[in-house]
Structure formats: C-alpha cells, structure tokens
Amino acid sequence: MPESNEKTPFKSGFIAIVGKPNAGKSTLMNALMGQPIAGISAKPQTTRRRQLGILTSDKAQIILVDTPGLHESKDKLSLAINTEAKIAVQDADLILFMADANTAPATMDSKLVDLIESLNPEAKVILAMNKADLASKTNLEKNQQAYQDLFAESPQVVRISALKTSGLAELLENLQEALPEGPQYYEAEQITEDFERDIAAEMIRAAAMGNLEEELPYSVAVLVNEYSERDTDKIYIHASIYVEREAQKGIVIGKGGQKIKQIGTDARRDIEAMSGQGVFLDLNVKVKKDWKDDERFLKQLGLSDKK
Ligand SMILES: Nc1nc2c(ncn2[C@@H]2O[C@H](COP(=O)(O)OP(=O)(O)OP(=O)(O)O)[C@@H](O)[C@H]2O)c(=O)[nH]1
Ligand SMILES: [Mg+2]
C-alpha cells in the first residue's frame, strides 16, 4: 500500500478545569504539568485566579486553565473569584469537569453545570471522577451515574486520581482527541502565563491556608514585595501576608513565631520545586482592614469583578 503522506492535523485549545472547591483541580493541573505551578491545600477555596498550564507536543497544544471553585459569599472578593471561573468557562474549547468520586453531586455541582450550559452550550464536556483512589467500586459507580445525569448530554467519563497520578495518560489522550484543529498559540517552551513571583504568592497563600484553622484561611491575602536573584542559585523573596483584623495577626505569627515559621517552611518547599532554585523567604504579617471588599486592594491582587 502506498504510504499516506497526509499529515495529522495539529490540535489545540483551551480546556477549563472546573469543579467544586477541593475537587482536586489544581492537583490535577500540577500532575499533568509534571511540576508544581499551582498552589494546593487541603482546604476548599484555595485557588482564586485562573491559571494556565500549557502542554506542547508535535501533535497538539493542550492549554489547561485551572479555575477557582465557585464561592457563595457576596463580598467583592467572592464576586471577583466567580468572574475568574466564568471567564474560563466562556472562553473554553473544552470543559474538564472534576468530580469527587466519593460523594454524590452537591448543589454546587448542579450550579456549575447550569453555568456551563448557559455560558458555553456548544462546549464538549469530559467528566473526570477524581479521588478514585479513595472510593469503593459501588460508590464510584453510583456517584458517576449521578454526575452524568446532571448533564443534558451524558459526557465522556475518565476515572482518575490526580494525587496518585493514575488514569492521567488516558485522560490526556481523551483531551487531545476532543480538541479542535488549531494553531500553536504559545511558544513550545512556555508553560504558563503567570510570572514566577505571582505563582510564589499563590504558593505562600496556600501554605498559610494549610496551617490555619476555621475562618482564618479565607481572611488571608499575599503580596510579594521583592522577588530577586541576589546570587546565582538563590531567589530572595520578601512577601507580606495580609489579614483582615488586628486580632488575626497574632494567630498567623503564632506562639514564639512558630506558625509563620511553619508557613515559611511549607511555602519555600513549594516555591523551590516550582522554580528549581533555592529560595530565601522573608515573610511578615500586615493588617488590611476588610480587604475582601476593598476594590483597590483586590486589583493589587490581580482580582476584579469588572472584566
Ligand atoms: N486522595 C486524593 N486526594 C486528592 C486527589 N486530588 C486532590 N486531592 C487532595 O484534595 C485536596 C484539594 O486539592 P486541590 O487541588 O487544592 O483542589 P482544588 O479543586 O484545586 O480546590 P480549590 O482551588 O479550592 O477550588 C488536597 O488536599 C489534595 O491533596 C486524589 O486524586 N486523591
Ligand atoms: Mg485549586
């Protein structure tokens, strides 16, 4: 048989990773990228801004868009966070819907499905049943069916564990398959659009969230004041952790500075893994009264509901 010289068309597109808070979206993003670029914590509502993870091969450019889970509070921060998720859904060529395989769909899941079907009704959806490592087979099957039933058109399903990285090769194959033909939007070497200093800020905030309890994780914001390579192999970072009220400051610092020290240790480990360099991290704690409703401060954080 004569060899076909027809080339397989190059595929590309934006894949919005959506799902309720804590579903494992950022864990999946980091696992697919093979390196940490998103902040992760065991607490829900860790991600606040959408972030790209770009995977380029000679066949395709898969542009993952990590999004925040939807927030129900009515402060300006929550509105801005929801805007981030909505923009990602609107602009997506493909939606990757992350479900927790261990639990039945919640109201938040139905809300997300409504959002997708109203903002981007044409988009194809792939359903990822995540945390499959924790789920019993019966539970997984029952929950999977319930998730599929949320959609007008039953989506393709992949069972994965973002944490244990199982099922990811199959997932990637399905994502690539479902993408449209398209151009290479970004240089092959580019893995994200964010600057390292912004990723560092997210990692510091995720580390703070992981070390704080009750409402405090949600009262924290981080700004990086300096991010510089002072010598050849070490990055110097000076960052401020902001809280909403004076009384919260002492809790973040902790007895004898123990808490802030632990936050620094966790954040440094993540930033070093992200940057591939040693990190010297200098942290302080500041009060910015009611910053969640302070539009100017939210802008400084790169968040705004007016996009
Ligand atoms: N056992 C298990 N845990 C997982 C898996 N994927 C994520 N997790 C854990 O779930 C928690 C939340 O993960 P994230 O990746 O921050 O979740 P997210 O969906 O990005 O959450 P938000 O940013 O708050 O919307 C972390 O403690 C992860 O380690 C998985 O496949 N199995
Ligand atoms: Mg996240």
Side-chain angles (χ1 to χ4, degrees):
M1 263 205 344
E3 230 183 278
S4 157
N5 53 13
E6 217 172 277
K7 265 180 71 186
T8 10
F10 191 81
K11 293 193 153 187
S12 67
F14 291 79
I15 305 173
I17 309 178
V18 302
K20 62 176 176 259
N22 219 35
K25 302 177 290 295
S26 302
T27 305
L28 177 69
M29 165 99 143
N30 287 347
L32 291 177
M33 295 304 297
Q35 67 184 99
I37 59 167
I40 291 172
S41 95
K43 310 241 175 22
Q45 307 189 339
T46 302
T47 303
R48 287 181 180 162
R49 298 172 54 202
R50 64 190 191 285
Q51 189 189 357
L52 300 194
I54 308 163
L55 288 169
T56 310
S57 68
D58 53 358
K59 296 192 180 66
Q61 184 163 69
I62 299 175
I63 307 158
L64 305 161
V65 188
D66 185 16
T67 70
L70 292 181
H71 288 217
E72 292 189 288
S73 318
K74 293 282 172 260
D75 51 64
K76 290 204 168 94
L77 171 69
S78 299
L79 297 179
I81 286 173
N82 290 347
T83 301
E84 291 284 308
K86 286 178 191 164
I87 291 173
V89 167
Q90 231 160 16
D91 294 350
D93 295 290
L94 179 64
I95 308 272
L96 178 58
F97 194 104
M98 295 274 290
D100 182 338
N102 299 277
T103 53
T107 322
M108 185 66 89
D109 292 290
S110 328
K111 275 192 188 161
L112 256 177
V113 173
D114 289 347
L115 194 76
I116 294 165
E117 290 178 350
S118 70
L119 290 179
N120 196 344
E122 300 298 315
K124 193 174 164 193
V125 178
I126 292 181
L127 173 63
M129 297 301 293
N130 190 37
K131 309 197 184 184
D133 55 300
L134 298 176
S136 72
K137 196 156 181 277
T138 13
N139 244 342
L140 204 161
E141 266 157 21
K142 193 179 71 204
N143 294 331
Q144 178 175 317
Q145 190 58 54
Y147 267 100
Q148 282 181 286
D149 292 344
L150 291 179
F151 296 87
E153 213 174 296
S154 192
Q156 190 182 357
V157 190
V158 189
R159 296 176 181 178
I160 62 166
S161 168
L163 188 68
K164 310 269 185 217
T165 69
S166 63
L168 300 193
E170 188 195 344
L171 174 64
L172 264 183
E173 229 167 79
N174 290 336
L175 292 175
Q176 183 167 321
E177 183 64 30
L179 281 179
E181 276 179 43
Q184 186 181 313
Y185 293 99
Y186 297 91
E187 298 285 331
E189 305 75 44
Q190 191 172 347
I191 59 160
T192 187
E193 269 192 328
D194 286 30
F195 293 111
E196 281 194 355
R197 64 181 288 152
D198 297 325
I199 298 176
E202 290 298 286
M203 288 177 161
I204 295 165
R205 193 170 52 76
M209 287 185 69
N211 282 288
L212 298 168
E213 300 306 324
E214 293 169 39
E215 282 312 301
L216 252 179
Y218 308 104
S219 298
V220 164
V222 173
L223 283 177
V224 169
N225 313 307
E226 185 180 343
Y227 189 100
S228 54
E229 294 184 38
R230 282 194 178 167
D231 49 60
T232 46
D233 63 342
K234 226 174 170 110
I235 306 168
Y236 171 80
I237 303 172
H238 182 264
S240 301
I241 299 179
Y242 288 86
V243 289
E244 292 178 289
R245 290 189 304 277
E246 197 61 44
Q248 297 171 328
K249 198 171 157 178
I251 307 174
V252 176
I253 294 168
K255 240 189 216 140
Q258 277 304 310
K259 191 63 104 187
I260 188 101
K261 195 171 163 209
Q262 188 58 48
I263 293 170
T265 304
D266 292 353
R268 188 160 49 81
R269 180 201 56 215
D270 293 343
I271 300 167
E272 285 180 343
M274 180 266 298
S275 64
Q277 278 176 284
V279 165
F280 184 86
L281 181 56
D282 206 350
L283 290 177
N284 64 15
V285 185
K286 289 186 175 172
V287 182
K288 182 90 189 166
K289 208 167 167 295
D290 300 325
W291 64 262
K292 282 183 187 165
D293 276 311
D294 182 335
E295 232 155 274
R296 273 178 63 183
F297 188 71
L298 291 176
K299 261 215 184 93
Q300 268 182 284
L301 297 172
L303 281 163
S304 162
D305 62 343
K306 298 183 185 64
K307 275 187 183 162

